[in-house]
Amino acid sequence: LVMEKFEISLVSISEKEFYLSPKDNLNINEKYLNLGFGFQFKGKDNSDFIEMVVSIVYLYKTAKVEKELLKFKTAFEFEVSNLEKFITIDKEINKIDIQDNLSRIFLSTAISTTRGMLFYKTAGTYMSKFIIPLMDVNHFIELIKNENISKGKKISKRNIKN
C-alpha cells in the first residue's frame, strides 16, 4: 500500500460560539463533570478546501443538578492538495469519508487549537482549571467511522478519561 503524499495548510480558525454559564453557588465536583465533543466536516466538490467544526460541551450532572456549564464551537478551514484523492463525498446520504492519516491531522490540529483557545477564553473564571484533556485522536477516528459521521451530524462521547 503506497501512501499518497499531500500538502496541507490551515487556512483559517474562527470562534463560532462561546457560552459560559454563571456559577450560581455550584460547588463543582470534577467527577460529575462530563465533556462532550462534536465534529462536523463540510467539503465541496472539486475543491481543495474542507471545513471542520469542533463543538465542546461541559455538562455538570449529579442526581439533583443537570447544567450545561460551557459550550464552545470553533471552525477550521484546511486546504489539502488533491483533496479529492483523500475524501469521498456522498451527496445522497450527506456523508464525507476521510482517509485516516488526514483525519488524524485535522483532529490533532483542531482539538489542540481548541484547547488553547478555550484555556485563554476561560482564564480567570471558575472553568479555567478544567482544561480539555490530552487524548488519542485515533479514538475519535474510530467513533467517527462507526457513526458514519456526516456533514452536519454530530457525535459526542461523554466522560472522556485518559
Side-chain angles (χ1 to χ4, degrees):
L1 184 68
V2 177
M3 280 288 194
E4 187 112 24
K5 292 213 184 302
F6 55 84
E7 287 181 31
I8 184 169
S9 58
L10 181 54
V11 179
S12 71
I13 303 169
S14 59
E15 178 186 314
K16 294 287 188 199
E17 185 181 347
F18 177 71
Y19 167 74
L20 178 61
S21 168
K23 192 172 179 211
D24 296 336
N25 300 326
L26 201 59
N27 192 3
I28 297 170
N29 180 335
E30 204 168 343
K31 74 177 184 184
Y32 299 115
L33 191 60
N34 296 296
L35 174 57
F37 281 86
F39 303 102
Q40 296 172 300
F41 292 92
K42 296 179 184 127
K44 296 183 207 91
D45 282 338
N46 308 315
S47 167
D48 283 345
F49 293 91
I50 187 167
E51 184 186 51
M52 178 183 183
V53 176
V54 178
S55 303
I56 302 286
V57 175
Y58 279 89
L59 185 69
Y60 193 66
K61 196 171 179 180
T62 67
K64 294 179 180 161
V65 180
E66 183 170 327
K67 185 174 181 175
E68 192 176 272
L69 298 181
L70 185 144
K71 194 172 189 177
F72 190 50
K73 196 180 277 191
T74 50
F76 300 84
E77 187 177 25
F78 295 94
E79 183 177 14
V80 181
S81 58
N82 303 312
L83 182 61
E84 71 280 350
K85 290 181 181 173
F86 307 101
I87 72 166
T88 312
I89 299 176
D90 186 334
K91 283 201 176 90
E92 301 221 343
I93 56 170
N94 214 16
K95 180 175 184 303
I96 298 180
D97 280 315
I98 304 168
Q99 279 186 14
D100 285 3
N101 54 344
L102 197 53
S103 281
R104 207 167 279 115
I105 294 169
F106 291 159
L107 286 162
S108 298
T109 303
I111 292 170
S112 59
T113 303
T114 299
R115 179 183 299 113
M117 290 170 74
L118 189 57
F119 180 75
Y120 181 78
K121 299 264 320 162
T122 59
T125 73
Y126 72 97
M127 286 299 291
S128 64
K129 63 181 178 245
F130 304 113
I131 299 168
I132 296 171
L134 297 178
M135 56 194 73
D136 181 359
V137 295
N138 292 314
H139 170 76
F140 288 118
I141 290 172
E142 287 310 307
L143 277 177
I144 288 168
K145 278 187 178 162
N146 295 338
E147 288 284 328
N148 289 333
I149 196 162
S150 59
K151 296 187 285 188
K153 189 201 259 180
K154 284 194 229 169
I155 60 163
S156 135
K157 182 73 178 156
R158 298 285 180 208
N159 277 330
I160 293 174
K161 299 268 186 266
N162 286 337

